[in-house]
């Protein structure tokens, strides 16, 4: 195969490991190399006969749809496939809960295997490999061997996402290393370079051992990664030198790049020092016993009212019942500047977004399960993932591909489909190691030695590489220290003594192990829920993974999750002296999982996986109110369109108005408003909430109730907690944000003080509460005082709106917000004077709407209950109707 090289590229040096390109040079070369492609795409419209290598693969799906906003193309300048799917997706938003079958056909693309419609362009990178482009620019890769398919996957990665690859190769190493204080994804988005050192390159290269230890399947993954790299290199070699963006790469670059998935979407925990600082402040204010009780209230580690995906309990990371000598309270405010910065960057780098709505066969109109699901990856141009369809050599998969990996990582196989949502389970923990002086004498924060198992041992220095210049900072060499637990983020003091903060991640140094899951999903190895559980368990980062085939829905929550030592509290940093090290990792059967729940539904929007599953140290959102509760209205005889309608209605609803405002309204109704203006403002929110609280609007929500609640929410939330927290209200809002409102990035209401207000006001009103707080917060426990404080928040909001928007409350409007597609640094051509935007919606970036009508399971774990009791005539009629719908959709496609 032309353009192939070995595992170690000839340029496996500092420059070759991660290309050092200026943003301007990369963009200029991008503009030069995509113009011929854009011209070819513009000439589509003729049919091409598929070659022998593109024979139709087995496809057991019924109606199958997909969409990726803004579009599959990442071309510069943008072409007709850059925003075509965004335009379609935008038409779905105003439909709310009224999505029809026709809307699915018109506003989504087909996710059937192979090209639907004209083949616009065909490529033959090498003998036995054919890449067909459909009219949306999506590549369909057909190879005679597995190696050819992987090579083709690398070819399309370079062709479709060469710019992202060029900008991401270096930062990927920073991600794999967990370099303290550096947000690797932000480097990619801003075009700031990172050139890994030889030490960094070797650190990642050593991870191939993890795959080799997995046996033949792991060795196959390693081979796949190298074939993918060969495809990238071959595409670059096919271009004139002035249009090339990438240096020669190898499987090592793929292993580094794969760490991005976990670092952004698939890690949880690591916030223990911040929790410890806040608990110390609470105890100083309220006393040790009462301070701890308030801390437990706010952490909501195991709230029995939290909505869950499976109702089966899976105990993990519970609130400790005994003493915790292995957990440490830091001195308040003692974090060093480097520690505070590193922890803030680590928090900012995480995203918890994505959803799935699975409907089982007993609720389905045609007795086949339904799935609406997809990841909320954020909206960018070029989008950070691309669509692809891979076939040959045992591989059959379609969906989205991260351009740093050969596999479809969310999508469908021949007879099943899967997706991912961020689970955020605790796979990271901060350890505090006591600093020491090997020569005796005074110990300071500058010491690079620490006590471990009774010995004063030296930290290990790590030279990560060079961080390129930014507009405000010169280029600099990046170095850090490591302990046995991982990179050192900075220092704190405990009772005046200096300690280093070291963060341990269960997947550090073994990131590519998770590729086995996607290899299994893509390689026709999953034929039943049991096969799915086994494959999903290989994914060591922490995700919720739904599964659907023609007969079953199933769910598994993944992660290489540590077993913490007895005597520690998962919410707090552990003492890193060797006595409280992790005790291994939980087994497959201890992960939340289930096949075919009794209610025939699996719902997830980053909510709690299962009862008794503890919230990770950085997760304060497993309370009684969660956005997943907006997925309501399921019934029997469901269709794909009805499932999509529930998703789409929730995508424009305001969680605060739907779930929390009714309680606020009840408290307010018990006493007089402070003014007619405040009374009218509250009435606007009442009416809006009763109508469904949609935030739809072309540029902003059309209902004035949204403006009132936006202006009042912060005051309402603070009114509830501040009587107890007092001056700690502000610091707590830094730890756990008060609100997660709509923004240009799309996702909203994933975090916030919604559950605190909801549960405390129910307690104030004397309503039944499970898992009640240790005290009443609002009004200091006085319902009357609580009411006065809430009315004061409404009054203040109304006065602010009156001053800024006039005397007529019905004319008040919330701030405008539309979904945007950064990075804004990309050079757009003169014809694109304004970037493409969409109406705000809380939907997936990539979404599948799919069901399967055959191909389920070698061994079926569970038959649909009650099927035999259905009348045969009714069953035949339904299947006939379904067949007619499929034929109509096929002809329409």
């Amino acid at each position: 195969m032309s353009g192939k090289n070995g595992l170690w590229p000839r340029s496996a040096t500092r420059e070759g490991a991660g290309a050092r390109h200026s943003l301007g040079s990369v963009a200029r070369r991008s503009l030069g190399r995509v113009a011929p492609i854009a011209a070819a795409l513009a000439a589509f419209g003729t049919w091409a006969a598929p070659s022998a290598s593109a024979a139709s693969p087995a496809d057991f799906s019924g109606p199958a749809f997909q969409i990726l906003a803004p579009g599959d193309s990442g071309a510069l300048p943008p072409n007709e496939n850059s925003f075509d799917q965004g335009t379609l997706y935008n038409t779905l938003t105003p439909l709310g809960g009224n999505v029809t079958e026709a809307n699915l056909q018109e506003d989504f693309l087909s996710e059937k295997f192979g090209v639907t419609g004209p083949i616009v362009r065909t490529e033959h990178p090498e003998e036995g490999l054919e890449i067909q482009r459909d009219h949306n620019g999506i590549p369909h890769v057909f190879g005679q061997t597995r190696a050819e398919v992987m090579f083709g996957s690398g070819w399309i990665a370079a062709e479709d996402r060469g710019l992202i690859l060029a900008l991401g190769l270096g930062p990927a190493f920073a991600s794999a290393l967990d370099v303290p204080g550096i947000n690797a994804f932000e480097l990619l988005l801003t075009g700031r370079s990172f050139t890994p050192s030889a030490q960094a390159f070797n650190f990642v290269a050593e991870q191939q051992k993890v795959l080799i230890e997995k046996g033949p399947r792991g060795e196959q993954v390693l081979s796949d990664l190298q074939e993918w790299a060969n495809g990238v290199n071959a595409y670059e070699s096919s271009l004139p030198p002035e249009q090339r963006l990438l240096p020669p790469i190898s499987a090592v670059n793929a292993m580094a790049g794969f760490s991005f998935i976990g670092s952004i979407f698939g890690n949880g925990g690591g916030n223990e020092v911040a929790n410890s600082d806040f608990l110390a402040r609470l105890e100083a204010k309220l006393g040790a016993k009462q301070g701890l009780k308030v801390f437990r209230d706010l952490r909501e580690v195991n709230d029995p009212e939290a909505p869950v995906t499976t109702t089966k309990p899976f105990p993990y990371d519970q609130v400790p019942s005994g003493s915790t000598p292995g957990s440490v309270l830091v001195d308040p405010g003692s974090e060093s500047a480097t520690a505070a910065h590193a922890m803030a960057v680590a928090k900012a780098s995480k995203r918890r977004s994505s959803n799935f709505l699975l409907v089982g066969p007993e609720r389905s109109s045609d007795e086949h399960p339904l799935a609406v699901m997809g990841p909320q990856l954020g909206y960018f141009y070029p989008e950070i993932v691309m669509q692809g369809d891979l076939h040959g050599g045992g591989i059959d998969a379609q969906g989205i591909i991260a351009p740093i990996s050969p596999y479809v990582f969310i999508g469908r196989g021949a007879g099943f489909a899967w997706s991912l949502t961020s689970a955020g389970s605790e796979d990271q923990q901060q350890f505090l190691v006591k600093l020491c002086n090997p020569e005796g004498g005074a110990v300071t924060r500058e010491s690079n030695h620490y006590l471990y198992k009774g010995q004063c041992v030296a930290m290990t220095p790590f030279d990560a590489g060079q961080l390129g210049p930014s507009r405000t900072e010169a280029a600099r060499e990046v170095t850090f220290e490591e302990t046995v637990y991982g990179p050192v983020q900075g220092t704190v003091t405990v009772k005046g003594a200096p300690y280093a903060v070291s963060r341990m991640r269960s997947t550090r140094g073994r990131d590519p192990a998770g590729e086995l899951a996607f290899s299994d999903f893509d390689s026709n190895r999953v034929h039943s829920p049991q096969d799915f559980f086994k494959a999903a368990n290989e994914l060591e980062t922490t995700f919720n993974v739904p599964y659907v085939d023609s007969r079953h829905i199933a769910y598994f929550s993944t992660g290489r999750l540590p077993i913490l030592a007895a005597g520690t509290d998962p919410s707090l940093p552990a003492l890193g002296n060797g006595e409280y090290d992790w005790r291994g990792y939980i087994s497959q059967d201890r992960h939340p999982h289930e096949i075919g729940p009794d209610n025939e539904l699996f719902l997830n929007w980053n909510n709690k996986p299962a009862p008794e599953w503890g919230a990770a140290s950085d997760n304060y959102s497993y309370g009684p109110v969660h956005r997943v509760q907006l997925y309501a209205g399921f019934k029997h005889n469901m269709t794909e369109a009805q499932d999509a309608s529930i998703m789409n209605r929730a995508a424009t609803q305001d969680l605060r108005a739907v779930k929390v405002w009714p309680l606020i309204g009840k408290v307010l109704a018990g006493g007089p408003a402070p003014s007619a203006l405040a009374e009218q403002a509250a009435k606007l929110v009442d009416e809006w909430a009763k109508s469904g609280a949609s935030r739809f609007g072309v540029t902003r929500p059309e209902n004035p109730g949204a403006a009132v609640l936006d202006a009042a929410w912060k005051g309402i939330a603070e009114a509830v907690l501040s009587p107890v927290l007092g001056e700690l209200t502000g610091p707590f809002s830094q730890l756990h944000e008060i609100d997660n409102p709509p923004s240009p990035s799309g996702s909203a209401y994933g975090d916030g003080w919604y559950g605190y207000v909801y549960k405390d006001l129910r307690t104030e009103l004397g309503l039944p509460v499970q898992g009640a707080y240790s005290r009443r917060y609002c009004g200091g426990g006085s319902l009357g005082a609580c009411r006065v404080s809430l009315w004061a928040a409404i009054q203040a909001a109304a006065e602010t709106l009156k001053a800024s928007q006039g005397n007529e409350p019905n004319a008040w409007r919330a701030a405008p917000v539309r979904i945007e597609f950064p990075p804004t640094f990309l050079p757009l051509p003169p014809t694109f004077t304004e970037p493409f935007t969409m109406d705000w919606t809380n939907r997936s970036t990539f979404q599948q709407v799919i069901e399967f009508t055959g191909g389920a399971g070698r061994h079926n774990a569970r038959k649909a209950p009650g099927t035999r009791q259905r009348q045969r005539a009714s069953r035949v009629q339904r299947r006939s109707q379904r067949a007619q719908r499929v034929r109509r959709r096929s002809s329409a496609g």
Side-chain angles (χ1 to χ4, degrees):
M1 297 183 183
S2 62
K4 292 188 177 182
N5 58 336
L7 175 63
W8 306 96
R10 286 175 296 175
S11 57
T13 63
R14 192 180 186 89
E15 288 295 329
R20 187 189 305 218
H21 296 304
S22 72
L23 178 59
S25 66
V26 169
R28 284 193 296 274
R29 280 176 281 175
S30 295
L31 286 165
R33 91 178 194 183
V34 299
I37 299 172
L41 288 172
F44 78 86
T46 57
W47 290 82
S51 70
S53 66
S56 298
D59 186 342
F60 297 103
S61 65
F65 305 98
Q66 62 168 324
I67 197 157
L68 173 70
D72 192 63
S73 175
L76 288 175
N79 60 34
E80 60 269 36
N81 297 139
S82 295
F83 304 113
D84 55 343
Q85 295 183 60
T87 302
L88 289 176
Y89 212 25
N90 200 32
T91 64
L92 203 66
T93 304
L95 300 178
N98 299 302
V99 178
T100 66
E101 182 179 313
N103 296 135
L104 296 180
Q105 294 174 354
E106 296 167 2
D107 299 331
F108 284 78
L109 310 184
S110 170
E111 203 183 27
K112 304 291 283 188
F113 282 166
V115 176
T116 302
I119 299 173
V120 174
R121 180 164 57 96
T122 302
E123 298 173 89
H124 294 91
E126 61 178 13
E127 186 178 354
L129 174 63
E130 179 170 300
I131 301 173
Q132 301 173 355
R133 296 279 179 169
D134 62 28
H135 67 277
N136 293 106
I138 299 172
H140 301 259
V141 179
F142 300 90
Q144 293 182 355
T145 67
R146 183 184 182 104
E148 288 163 354
V149 175
M150 297 292 98
F151 184 90
S153 183
W155 180 280
I156 63 175
E159 186 174 15
D160 290 10
R161 293 295 186 271
L163 174 60
I164 288 179
L165 269 174
L167 298 177
L169 283 179
F173 285 84
S175 171
L177 291 170
D178 287 347
V179 178
I182 290 183
N183 182 339
F185 189 52
E186 187 69 19
L187 296 183
L188 185 155
L189 294 180
T190 58
R192 190 173 185 184
S193 67
F194 182 83
T195 306
S197 65
Q199 186 180 6
F201 188 88
N202 291 334
F203 174 87
V204 175
E206 285 291 316
Q207 296 182 44
Q208 65 179 301
K209 294 179 180 178
V210 178
L211 294 173
I212 294 171
E213 290 168 358
K214 294 280 187 177
R217 286 167 55 242
E219 292 174 357
Q220 179 65 70
V221 168
L222 188 59
S223 176
D224 291 347
L225 297 181
Q226 186 54 53
E227 292 294 347
W228 170 86
N230 294 338
V232 172
N233 294 334
Y235 179 78
E236 289 295 307
S237 296
S238 73
L239 299 173
E242 67 274 10
Q243 293 181 16
R244 296 175 188 171
L245 301 176
L246 302 164
I249 66 171
S250 75
V252 178
N253 298 96
M255 290 188 290
F258 187 70
S259 69
F260 265 128
I261 295 175
S263 68
I264 306 167
F265 305 105
N267 289 327
N271 200 54
E272 294 80 16
V273 168
N275 291 344
S276 178
D277 181 275
F278 182 64
L279 174 56
R281 294 173 188 268
L282 282 174
E283 292 190 355
K285 176 180 177 63
L286 304 173
K289 184 175 181 180
Q290 296 305 316
L292 180 60
K293 285 184 177 181
V294 170
F295 180 74
R296 298 287 187 226
D297 290 346
L298 300 177
R299 278 285 292 120
E300 297 182 313
V301 170
N302 193 30
D303 190 324
E305 295 183 327
V308 293
T309 298
T310 173
T311 58
K312 294 173 60 179
F314 286 88
Y316 180 69
D317 271 4
Q318 296 290 288
V319 175
S321 57
S323 62
T324 56
S327 293
V328 183
L329 273 189
V330 303
D331 297 331
S334 67
E335 297 96 330
S336 65
T338 54
H341 176 68
M343 287 183 272
V345 168
K347 182 178 180 180
S349 68
K350 295 181 183 179
R351 297 167 181 256
R352 282 201 300 266
S353 302
S354 302
N355 51 62
F356 56 79
L357 303 84
L358 302 190
V359 177
E362 280 295 283
R363 284 184 181 259
S364 170
S365 64
D366 61 7
E367 301 181 16
H368 295 298
L370 312 171
V372 175
M373 54 190 181
Q376 287 179 269
L377 302 169
Y379 293 99
F380 304 98
Y381 186 79
E383 188 51 73
I384 60 175
V385 296
M386 62 189 203
Q387 289 156 295
D389 186 20
L390 308 179
H391 301 285
I395 293 174
D396 288 297
Q398 182 173 198
I400 52 173
I401 301 172
I404 44 73
S405 173
Y407 305 118
V408 170
F409 78 99
I410 293 177
R412 56 156 301 189
F416 78 102
W418 77 97
S419 191
L420 303 175
T421 78
S422 300
S425 299
E426 185 102 1
D427 67 347
Q428 301 176 111
Q429 187 179 25
Q430 290 173 313
F431 284 82
L432 299 189
V433 295
K434 191 171 185 178
L435 297 177
C436 59
N437 187 337
E439 299 177 356
V443 181
T444 69
R445 290 189 185 222
E446 283 67 42
S447 175
N448 60 359
H449 286 70
Y450 64 101
L451 290 173
Y452 184 71
K453 295 185 176 180
Q455 301 295 316
C456 187
V457 298
M459 296 178 184
T460 303
F462 202 110
D463 177 8
Q466 187 177 81
L467 181 64
S470 70
R471 294 174 182 173
T472 59
E473 185 182 19
R476 61 182 174 90
E477 197 72 9
V478 176
T479 62
F480 59 91
E481 302 276 2
E482 289 186 306
T483 72
V484 294
Y485 301 104
V488 173
Q489 297 178 300
T491 61
V492 296
T493 63
V494 177
K495 297 181 180 178
Y499 284 72
V501 182
S502 188
R503 188 179 71 172
M504 189 171 187
R505 170 167 63 93
S506 67
T507 54
R508 187 173 187 264
R510 51 181 301 116
D511 287 304
E515 295 269 30
L516 267 77
F518 302 125
S519 175
D520 282 353
F521 289 161
D522 285 16
S523 302
N524 290 301
R525 294 179 186 145
V526 173
H527 304 280
S528 68
Q530 291 84 354
D531 292 343
F532 160 68
F533 289 156
K534 182 178 179 181
N537 191 53
E538 297 284 4
L539 185 55
E540 295 190 349
T541 42
T542 167
F543 288 98
N544 299 300
V545 190
Y547 166 94
V548 60
D549 63 25
S550 68
R551 302 186 66 179
H552 313 96
I553 57 174
Y555 161 68
F556 189 91
S557 193
T558 73
R560 188 172 190 247
L561 304 180
I563 300 170
L564 272 57
T568 62
D569 184 336
S571 294
L572 301 175
L575 187 59
N577 60 6
E579 186 177 350
Y580 299 100
D581 293 359
W582 290 348
R583 303 298 197 249
Y585 303 89
I586 68 172
S587 59
Q588 178 178 321
D589 62 353
R590 289 185 59 187
H591 287 264
H593 65 282
E594 188 178 8
I595 303 170
D598 291 340
N599 68 352
E600 293 283 292
L601 294 173
F602 280 129
L603 306 176
N604 189 275
W605 205 350
N606 312 117
N607 52 285
K608 190 182 183 78
E612 300 179 29
W613 189 261
S617 64
D618 62 335
N619 188 345
Y620 282 72
S621 65
Y622 285 175
V625 173
H626 197 282
R627 61 186 179 180
V628 74
Q629 293 164 315
L630 296 175
Y631 293 149
F634 294 92
K635 54 188 180 181
H636 290 282
N637 296 315
M638 291 280 295
T639 65
E640 281 186 316
Q642 290 170 333
D643 198 11
S645 290
I646 292 172
M647 172 279 303
N648 198 52
R649 183 197 65 231
T652 57
Q653 284 184 298
D654 190 306
L655 176 64
R656 304 165 305 176
V658 173
K659 290 297 297 181
V660 188
W661 181 261
L663 271 299
I664 298 170
K666 285 185 178 180
V667 174
L668 297 178
S675 70
L677 182 66
E679 184 175 20
Q680 187 175 3
K683 184 177 180 181
L684 289 174
V685 184
D686 282 336
E687 294 171 349
W688 177 51
K690 289 175 182 176
S691 70
S694 172
R695 295 189 64 92
F696 174 73
V698 175
T699 60
R700 65 181 75 202
E702 297 171 350
N703 195 296
V708 176
L709 190 54
D710 284 357
W713 177 256
K714 182 175 183 290
I716 290 171
E718 290 178 340
V720 170
L721 291 189
S722 63
V724 173
L725 295 186
E727 71 279 5
L728 297 182
T729 304
F732 182 61
S733 70
Q734 298 299 312
L735 189 64
H736 181 205
E737 60 185 354
I738 294 174
D739 197 12
N740 179 209
S743 73
S745 65
S747 180
Y749 307 121
D751 207 359
W753 291 11
Y754 317 129
Y756 304 145
V757 177
Y758 177 77
K759 179 167 285 193
D760 187 63
L761 294 189
R762 285 164 59 217
T763 304
E764 300 280 354
L765 291 166
L767 300 175
V769 173
Q770 296 182 56
Y773 294 146
S774 63
R775 69 202 58 228
R776 290 161 60 183
Y777 284 83
C778 187
S782 164
L783 179 59
C786 175
R787 181 180 301 112
V788 170
S789 66
L790 297 182
W791 270 124
I794 302 295
Q795 178 71 35
E799 290 174 355
T800 298
L801 290 168
K802 179 180 177 180
S804 61
Q805 298 191 36
N807 296 330
E808 179 47 58
N810 284 307
W812 294 343
R813 294 293 182 269
V817 57
R818 289 182 65 79
I819 289 177
E820 298 174 358
F821 293 84
T824 55
F825 60 80
L826 293 180
L828 294 172
T831 53
F832 284 81
T833 55
E834 294 183 6
F836 173 77
T837 63
M838 292 196 316
D839 299 337
W840 180 80
T841 181
N842 201 357
R843 275 202 313 264
S844 303
T845 312
F846 170 76
Q847 191 167 76
Q848 299 178 90
V849 181
I850 193 166
E851 68 172 305
F852 291 86
T853 56
R858 283 192 308 263
H859 49 280
N860 295 307
R862 177 182 181 273
K863 295 183 178 180
T867 300
R868 292 181 179 178
Q869 287 69 37
R870 298 186 181 219
Q871 294 184 0
R872 179 178 177 80
S874 176
R875 186 165 62 240
V876 171
Q877 181 182 21
R878 283 194 298 273
R879 289 174 178 169
S880 175
Q881 291 170 344
R882 190 205 62 76
Q884 292 174 13
R885 290 198 300 272
V886 171
R887 285 194 294 271
R888 288 199 302 271
R889 288 170 177 169
S890 298
S891 61

